[in-house]
Amino acid sequence: MAFQQELDLYLRARFTLIVLITPEEERAVAEVRKVCEAINRPCLSWDAGDGFEKIINWSGSVPVAADAKTALEKIDQHDGEALFLLHDFHDIWGNAQLKRKLRNLAQRFRYTRKSLLVTTSSNKLPAELKDIAVVVEFPPPDSSELETVLSGLTSTPGVRVQLTPLGREKLVQAALGLTAAQAQRVFAKAIVRDGLLDDQVIDLMTEEKKQIIRESQALEFFSASESPADLGGCEVLKDWLRLRERAFGQEARDYGLPAPRGVALIGIPGTGKSLTAKMIGGLWHLPLLRLDVGSLFGSLVGESEQRTRQALQMAETVAPCILWIDEMEKAFATGDLDGGTSTRVFGTILTWMQEKTAPCFVVATANDISSLPPELLRRGRFDEIFFLDLPTYVERREILSVHLRKRQRILHDFDLDGLARLSEGYVGAEIEQAIIDAMYIGFNQGREFGSDDIARSIDLQVPLSVSQRERIGALRTWLKEGRAQSASFRESFDAVQQFVPLDIRQP
Ligand code: ADP
C-alpha cells in the first residue's frame, strides 16, 4: 500500500525518472499496474528479450525495439502521457551514450506527462543519474501479502496442512523479509520433503533467512536455543523478559501494545550478558543477529556509515528479530582519533534506534561505561538498562547447579552451599571455569571430580573483582546514581554491594 501511494505521488508530481530497486520484478510490475489503473495512465514495459509489451491502458500500436537505444528513441517519439517500465537497464550503466540519452529524456519529459521507471536489483546508480533520478526501494511483501502466498498454497488440492493458528502466524512472521518467490519456495520445499505443511516449516524458513544474513559481513546469525534455565540468577531481568514474551505477536498488536524497543546490559565481563542476549532469542523464538561493530569500520570516507546503514537495513528485513550489539564500547573507544568516523557510525545507529519502525529488538551489551557516549544511555533510548553485578550467594548456587547439570552431574553429590559461599566475588564465567578445571583434574587422575576439586580451582583463580577492583567500583558508583536497574533482586543486591573482595585476597 505504501509503495503504491509513493509511486502515485511521484507520477503526479511529474518525476520523470524513477529507479525502482527490487529483486522481485514480477511483483513490482503487478503493483505498478495497479497504480496506473487507478490513475488511468497508459503503461508499456520494455525488456531485452521481448521488446515493448502492453501493461495497462495502452490503446495505440506497440512500438518495436530490439535494443535499449532504439527503445529510448521510440519512447522519445511517443506522443501523449505514458509510463515506460524499463527492465534490464542496469546493463547499460556502463554505456556512456545510453546513460546520456536516459538523462536527456528525463530532463525533456519534465514538460510532458511521460515518465520512465527503471527496475534494477542493485542499488548502484551511476553518478550521472543521481541528481535526476528518484530512487525507490520496493518493499518486501508484508504479512498480509505473505498470508496470501501461503493461502494460495494451502488451498491447493492435495496439499496437507497441519498448521496451528499460532504456527501459521509465526510462519508468516518468519517469512517477513523474504521475497514472495523465496517464501513460496520454502513452502514448496516443505511440501515436497514432508508431504505436508506443519509448524516445522518455521525452522526451514529461518534457515532461508540465515542465507540472506550470510551475505552481510557485519551480521552473524545465531539460532539461539538458550532458555532462562541456562542463566543462573538475574531474576528481575528474566521476569522483565518473560513479561514481554508475546510482545511481537498479533495479539499484542491488537491489544495496542507497542513492540519493545530494546534493552542495554551493562556489567563486568563474564556476568552473562552475551548469554542473556542468546537467551532472549531462545525465549522469544526470534532470530538473533549479532552486529560486529568492529567490522563496520572501513578505510574509505563514508564507507563505515554506508556499511552501518546496510547492516541495519538487513536486520530490518529479518524483523521481527533481535539485534545484538555486542561490546558496544569497543566501537566508540577510538573517540576523536579517527576523524569522527566512530561518532558518525554511532550517530547512524542512534538515529536508527530512534526512528526504526520494524520490530527489531536491540540488545546492547557493554563491559565498560566510561567510554560510552552519555547520549546512548539516556532515558527513553532503551526500554530498560540493566546492570549485571557480581552474583549473590543464591545466584552463585544457581550458577553452580546450571553448569553441573549441563555436564550431567547429580547435584546431591556436591556441596553447593559451601561452594557458593567460597565463590563470593566470582562471576558466572569464572565459576564455570572452576568446574571445568576441576573436571580436568578428575579426568586425568582417572576418577570423578568433586566439591574439593572445584573449591581448589576457585581458590587458584584471581577473580576480576580483585584484579579489576577499580573498574567494578566505578561501575557500581554509576549504578548508584540510579541510571540502571539491577538485574537481580534488590535485597540480595544490597548484600553484594557490601562485599569487599580485598578483605580476603590481595591481587
Ligand atoms: P559476558 O557477555 O557478560 O562477558 P558471557 O555471557 O559471555 O558473559 O559469559 C560467558 C559464559 O559464562 C557463559 O556462556 C556461561 O556459560 C557462563 N555464565 C556467565 N554468567 C552466567 C550465569 N549467570 N549463569 C550461568 N552461566 C553463566
Side-chain angles (χ1 to χ4, degrees):
M1 194 59 197
F3 167 74
Q4 289 184 24
Q5 278 168 351
E6 197 178 356
L7 181 61
D8 179 56
L9 187 81
Y10 287 140
L11 292 178
R12 282 175 203 274
R14 296 201 189 183
F15 278 84
T16 53
L17 179 58
I18 303 162
V19 176
L20 182 63
I21 301 171
T22 174
E24 296 181 274
E25 210 174 87
E26 246 173 80
R27 205 168 63 84
V29 172
E31 293 288 300
V32 172
R33 179 189 282 120
K34 281 185 209 157
V35 175
C36 288
E37 188 176 14
I39 60 171
N40 205 16
R41 171 89 39 118
C43 181
L44 212 58
S45 76
W46 182 88
D47 66 53
D50 292 331
F52 282 109
E53 277 186 279
K54 286 183 194 177
I55 297 293
I56 198 162
N57 298 332
W58 197 270
S59 50
S61 63
V62 176
V64 178
D67 57 81
K69 184 166 170 282
T70 319
L72 289 180
E73 282 162 5
K74 297 280 163 134
I75 291 170
D76 197 8
Q77 289 157 13
H78 176 79
D79 266 339
E81 65 168 358
L83 173 69
F84 296 96
L85 244 172
L86 306 173
H87 306 305
D88 306 327
F89 259 60
H90 50 273
D91 289 342
I92 68 147
W93 285 167
N95 182 323
Q97 194 193 7
L98 285 175
K99 266 189 296 190
R100 165 52 73 178
K101 183 85 186 149
L102 201 58
R103 192 183 160 85
N104 289 350
L105 284 190
Q107 251 156 358
R108 211 172 303 152
F109 287 180
R110 281 204 186 130
Y111 310 102
T112 68
R113 280 191 166 267
K114 288 196 278 188
S115 298
L116 303 160
L117 193 152
V118 179
T119 63
T120 164
S121 55
S122 134
N123 58 1
K124 287 197 190 79
L125 195 64
E128 301 94 314
L129 296 176
K130 273 198 176 136
D131 61 324
I132 200 158
V134 52
V135 179
V136 181
E137 281 192 48
F138 190 60
D142 62 15
S143 36
S144 72
E145 287 172 280
L146 288 167
E147 177 56 51
T148 312
V149 174
L150 182 58
S151 308
L153 263 178
T154 53
S155 57
T156 312
V159 173
R160 283 195 300 139
V161 184
Q162 279 176 17
L163 283 168
T164 60
L166 186 67
R168 195 176 176 107
E169 189 193 331
K170 288 219 157 181
L171 179 60
V172 169
Q173 265 193 2
L176 281 172
L178 298 183
T179 64
Q182 283 169 328
Q184 173 116 21
R185 210 170 48 227
V186 180
F187 296 145
K189 206 151 107 187
I191 295 171
V192 171
R193 196 188 61 178
D194 309 327
L196 87 164
L197 270 179
D198 61 10
D199 290 5
Q200 290 183 3
V201 192
I202 303 170
D203 295 335
L204 239 126
M205 200 56 90
T206 311
E207 275 304 312
E208 190 78 8
K209 276 200 181 170
K210 266 194 212 171
Q211 211 60 40
I212 301 181
I213 295 303
R214 275 192 205 115
E215 292 164 19
S216 155
Q217 290 167 349
L219 288 176
E220 191 186 346
F221 199 106
F222 283 82
S223 328
S225 55
E226 277 80 359
S227 77
D230 295 309
L231 179 73
C234 299
E235 287 306 325
V236 174
L237 171 59
K238 282 189 206 166
D239 283 350
W240 191 92
L241 293 170
R242 279 196 200 101
L243 203 62
R244 286 156 182 81
E245 202 173 327
R246 294 185 300 141
F248 290 98
Q250 188 58 44
E251 250 181 306
R253 275 196 301 278
D254 292 345
Y255 195 86
L257 270 178
R261 306 173 61 80
V263 68
L265 307 173
I266 317 283
I268 55 172
T271 42
K273 298 182 293 298
S274 311
L275 183 60
T276 304
K278 293 178 206 159
M279 188 257 284
I280 301 175
L283 183 67
W284 290 354
H285 303 286
L286 289 181
L288 174 68
L289 303 176
R290 183 173 161 272
L291 178 70
D292 179 0
V293 188
S295 74
L296 292 175
F297 291 90
S299 52
L300 298 174
V301 176
E303 198 176 17
S304 312
E305 292 99 298
Q306 163 86 356
R307 277 190 203 168
T308 310
R309 269 194 301 274
Q310 266 171 0
L312 296 174
Q313 238 169 33
M314 182 84 77
E316 285 199 358
T317 69
V318 182
C321 69
I322 291 154
L323 182 71
W324 168 24
I325 307 179
D326 194 16
E327 300 195 29
M328 57 177 167
E329 73 272 23
K330 277 197 184 151
F332 310 118
T334 44
D336 297 331
L337 297 177
D338 61 356
T341 305
S342 59
T343 312
R344 284 196 301 273
V345 164
F346 167 66
T348 309
I349 297 178
L350 275 196
T351 313
W352 176 79
M353 276 172 62
Q354 208 71 41
E355 293 174 357
K356 73 183 155 72
T357 48
C360 267
F361 184 81
V362 176
V363 179
T365 56
N367 291 324
D368 184 5
I369 34 102
S370 63
S371 55
L372 281 182
E375 309 93 276
L376 182 67
L377 297 175
R378 223 177 38 210
R379 284 267 166 225
R381 204 69 85 183
F382 292 97
D383 295 319
E384 192 58 81
I385 300 170
F386 282 105
F387 179 72
L388 284 84
D389 204 345
L390 294 172
T392 63
Y393 168 81
V394 177
E395 290 181 321
R396 294 194 300 275
R397 202 176 181 285
E398 237 186 83
I399 295 170
L400 283 158
S401 311
V402 166
H403 287 288
L404 286 169
R405 235 185 268 124
K406 211 167 158 184
R407 288 159 182 91
Q408 280 83 43
R409 293 315 198 268
I410 297 160
L411 298 184
H412 277 307
D413 295 347
F414 294 86
D415 175 16
L416 294 177
D417 292 322
L419 290 171
R421 256 194 312 275
L422 195 71
S423 54
E424 186 169 12
Y426 287 71
V427 294
E430 291 164 341
I431 295 175
E432 182 184 17
Q433 193 54 50
I435 293 178
I436 294 171
D437 290 348
M439 286 177 81
Y440 269 113
I441 292 168
F443 177 70
N444 276 309
Q445 294 179 1
R447 61 173 175 83
E448 176 59 349
F449 73 105
S451 299
D452 288 349
D453 299 303
I454 303 177
R456 216 165 299 124
S457 305
I458 290 174
D459 244 4
L460 284 172
Q461 270 189 68
V462 178
L464 280 177
S465 63
V466 173
S467 60
Q468 301 197 9
R469 192 165 187 255
E470 286 79 20
R471 216 169 111 190
I472 297 171
L475 265 174
R476 282 184 168 162
T477 311
W478 178 82
L479 175 70
K480 270 194 196 149
E481 290 164 9
R483 286 194 264 187
Q485 184 176 1
S486 169
S488 313
F489 281 119
R490 181 64 61 181
E491 308 86 85
S492 42
F493 172 73
D494 287 341
V496 172
Q497 287 263 303
Q498 284 148 24
F499 166 68
V500 186
L502 278 192
D503 286 353
I504 48 170
R505 278 184 199 85
Q506 292 297 327

